[in-house]
Amino acid sequence: MDQNVKDLAVRYDLVWDRLGEDERAAVMEMGEDYKRFMDAGKTERLCAREIVRRAREQGFVSLEEAGALRPGDKVYSVNRGKGVVLAVIGSEEVAQGVSIVGSHIDSPRLDVKQNPLYEEGGMALLKTHYYGGVRKYQWVARPLALCGTVVRRDGSVLDVCIGDGAGDPVFYITDLLPHLAADQNKKTLAEGIAGEDLNAVAGTLPVGGREDKDRFRLAVLKLLHDKYGMTEEDFVSAELELVPAGPARDVGFDRAAIAAYGHDDRVCAYTSMRALFDLTVCRKTAVALFVDKEEVGSNGSTGMHSRNFANVIGRMIELQRGSCSGFDVDRALARSALLSSDVAAAFDPNYPSVADPRNTAYLGKGVTLIKYTGSRGKNGSNDASAEFLGEIRKCFNDAGVVWQTSELGKVDQGGGGTIAYILANCDMDVVDVGVPVLSMHAPFEVVSKADVYMTAKAYLAFYRAR
Ligand code: MN
Ligand code: MN
């Protein structure tokens, strides 16, 4: 057949087929750095801290310390320790709009309750309340680390992370032995493990003597007091998260994929951060936005619905113009564009029936463009415009980015959402663009190193094109 006719058909390449030897080495190198990033930030607070640490290394300065902003200046702003805005100032004023890649750095996990500690059956346990879309059966019978922040009675702040250091103890939620699981086995996967039964073993060593009561609970309280100066009431003003213990690992004989906790959505946070670090000059100010609370609806002061991001934009305009009105901020947002940077469901050969094979993302085929998300007929979705998709597709093609297009499962199989619609509601062009992931929301999820690399390349192309 005529080659010109064959060229009419769309072709979605494997990233690996489009890489030279040098780039293959760069893919593997980025994979190593990405694993370090993941191991350093298993909670939104730790991840925000790691982003800021790396940004400062790259010469970014806090917006509070910054003077008049000039093209090429690099600034950051932290929202309550749980969200970050990084910006490289463009040659145009911020008031003319910015280019944003926005991801979230919270991940599904088990939060320790405010009154968590009790004892039963010769052990002390911590009660938990799960955060985000957790499949509960995946969180039992596995090592867990406890990370978070405690504000003590006197107001002093204590950061805790136990379970990821060499030689650290871990926490553990028990499951039934198969010998006694006949009743449990009759339940559905969703009902087999109840949320209220996700209680983690915190201690099995009693304090005091035979005549004493509450010996296991009190032993833990004594230990917390001796080691951390904590009392039981301090749990009330604490945010403690149980997250999967252990480092990110390569997957497969060839080491081409990575299993880690929290690829959703720290893989998009990492790739946007890397893209911004590689950017030197731009016309529109380039912003990497990292928000919290996406997994529970993006509400609250650190979620995408917060005015925090608008206030940061306002502050940047003020530093350039000497003043800024509310309308200046609204207009800057309306003149901006967002790549909503969140993971996509990758085709899973073990579960092919949930996807439309022609409109699903495949591991190793690069960053994926998602026109709409939602459920029951795209409900709740930002449905990106043909015009904006056209602009982004051209930008990716011009820069040699290997991309694909996908939706979240076949029609009426389920669905989900991202932060896309929230900024789109600010009169902004938005499209979802992210990394395909296997086993999304599981304690360990899987991504391809090739897709991580290509996604960073895509975000950099977006910043450069505007
Ligand atoms: Mn996500
Ligand atoms: Mn998610």
Side-chain angles (χ1 to χ4, degrees):
M1 200 188 298
D2 191 332
Q3 188 59 40
N4 292 336
V5 176
K6 285 185 182 168
D7 285 347
L8 295 175
V10 65
R11 196 186 68 198
Y12 295 106
D13 285 333
L14 282 167
V15 173
W16 301 109
D17 288 336
R18 297 260 301 266
L19 297 178
E21 272 310 308
D22 282 6
E23 261 194 317
R24 277 179 177 244
V27 167
M28 297 315 248
E29 219 168 274
M30 186 177 278
E32 294 306 303
D33 188 56
Y34 175 54
K35 285 184 285 178
R36 286 192 288 273
F37 175 83
M38 294 302 273
D39 292 345
K42 285 196 178 176
T43 68
E44 60 279 26
R45 285 178 193 266
L46 292 170
C47 186
R49 206 175 293 172
E50 176 65 7
I51 290 166
V52 170
R53 186 190 70 76
R54 286 174 176 239
R56 292 187 68 92
E57 259 179 27
Q58 297 283 328
F60 283 70
V61 298
S62 160
L63 204 51
E64 280 98 69
E65 307 159 25
L69 297 180
R70 293 190 182 79
D73 281 358
K74 299 189 260 186
V75 291
Y76 71 87
S77 173
V78 181
N79 182 6
R80 296 168 171 83
K82 300 176 181 181
V84 185
V85 178
L86 300 180
V88 174
I89 305 300
S91 56
E92 265 182 27
E93 282 193 313
V94 171
Q96 299 303 315
V98 299
S99 308
I100 311 160
V101 181
S103 61
H104 66 91
I105 54 175
D106 61 317
S107 295
R109 67 202 184 225
L110 306 178
D111 286 337
V112 172
K113 288 193 184 191
Q114 278 10 84
N115 203 9
L117 191 62
Y118 71 103
E119 76 165 65
E120 200 174 339
M123 60 190 97
L125 297 111
L126 291 171
K127 296 208 64 68
T128 69
H129 195 142
Y130 66 95
Y131 173 98
V134 158
R135 304 192 78 192
K136 301 179 194 85
Y137 73 89
Q138 295 176 337
W139 292 74
V140 297
R142 60 163 22 266
L144 298 167
L146 181 72
C147 300
T149 296
V150 182
V151 179
R152 287 173 290 209
R153 186 183 295 239
D154 64 359
S156 60
V157 177
L158 170 75
D159 287 324
V160 194
C161 201
I162 307 162
D164 258 343
D168 275 9
V170 295
F171 299 84
Y172 186 93
I173 298 169
T174 56
D175 193 8
L176 267 180
L177 56 170
H179 319 65
L180 301 179
D183 291 343
Q184 188 193 44
N185 284 345
K186 289 182 197 134
K187 296 181 180 173
T188 64
L189 267 182
E191 292 162 346
I193 309 275
E196 206 57 73
D197 295 340
L198 292 171
N199 306 310
V201 176
T204 52
L205 183 68
V207 72
R210 286 192 190 90
E211 65 289 355
D212 296 312
K213 279 190 182 143
D214 245 6
R215 296 171 64 198
F216 295 94
R217 202 174 80 84
L218 289 172
V220 169
L221 285 176
K222 179 175 186 312
L223 204 147
L224 290 176
H225 186 260
D226 292 350
K227 200 160 179 196
Y228 303 111
M230 269 183 76
T231 64
E232 192 168 22
E233 197 182 284
D234 293 340
F235 279 116
V236 172
S237 51
E239 287 177 333
L240 295 168
E241 308 177 10
L242 283 168
V243 296
R249 304 289 292 271
D250 288 342
V251 175
F253 293 114
D254 52 20
R255 300 179 170 268
I258 298 172
Y261 165 61
H263 285 314
D264 180 7
D265 183 31
R266 294 180 197 124
V267 69
C268 292
Y270 174 80
T271 45
S272 59
M273 176 194 74
R274 282 291 303 252
L276 199 71
F277 288 171
D278 284 343
L279 186 72
T280 43
V281 287
C282 47
R283 191 165 61 86
K284 294 257 185 230
T285 290
V287 172
L289 168 65
F290 311 91
V291 293
D292 177 33
K293 293 285 177 281
E294 193 276 342
E295 296 295 357
V296 292
S298 295
N299 294 307
S301 58
T302 55
M304 194 65 252
H305 282 297
S306 163
R307 293 284 301 166
N308 177 267
F309 180 61
N311 291 340
V312 171
I313 292 290
R315 178 63 182 148
M316 290 198 287
I317 294 173
E318 193 179 45
L319 285 172
Q320 285 188 325
R321 289 187 164 177
S323 69
C324 176
S325 73
F327 183 60
D328 289 337
V329 174
D330 289 347
R331 196 167 41 187
L333 290 173
R335 289 167 171 170
S336 298
L338 167 73
L339 297 189
S340 165
S341 170
D342 209 338
V343 294
F347 175 81
D348 186 337
N350 284 330
Y351 304 96
S353 69
V354 301
D356 164 8
R358 284 166 197 83
N359 289 280
T360 191
Y362 289 88
L363 216 64
K365 289 199 166 181
V367 64
T368 184
L369 281 167
I370 303 165
K371 186 176 188 294
Y372 47 81
T373 57
S375 56
R376 291 163 288 105
K378 308 185 182 182
N379 230 284
S381 164
N382 160 61
D383 198 353
S385 72
E387 290 85 349
F388 192 52
L389 274 162
E391 180 187 327
I392 297 304
R393 171 188 152 210
K394 181 170 185 314
C395 156
F396 287 178
N397 282 339
D398 289 350
V401 170
V402 182
W403 57 271
Q404 52 187 325
T405 178
S406 66
E407 49 183 284
L408 183 49
K410 70 181 183 191
V411 177
D412 285 341
Q413 181 68 38
T418 65
I419 63 167
Y421 76 95
I422 305 166
L423 279 170
N425 288 351
C426 295
D427 193 11
M428 190 187 299
D429 283 322
V430 178
V431 63
D432 282 297
V433 182
V435 179
V437 59
L438 286 166
S439 303
M440 195 189 296
H441 285 204
F444 278 79
E445 306 165 306
V446 172
V447 295
S448 155
K449 289 181 183 176
D451 296 333
V452 174
Y453 176 84
M454 201 45 73
T455 301
K457 189 167 171 170
Y459 296 157
L460 181 59
F462 168 71
Y463 287 141
R464 282 184 175 152
R466 288 171 47 84

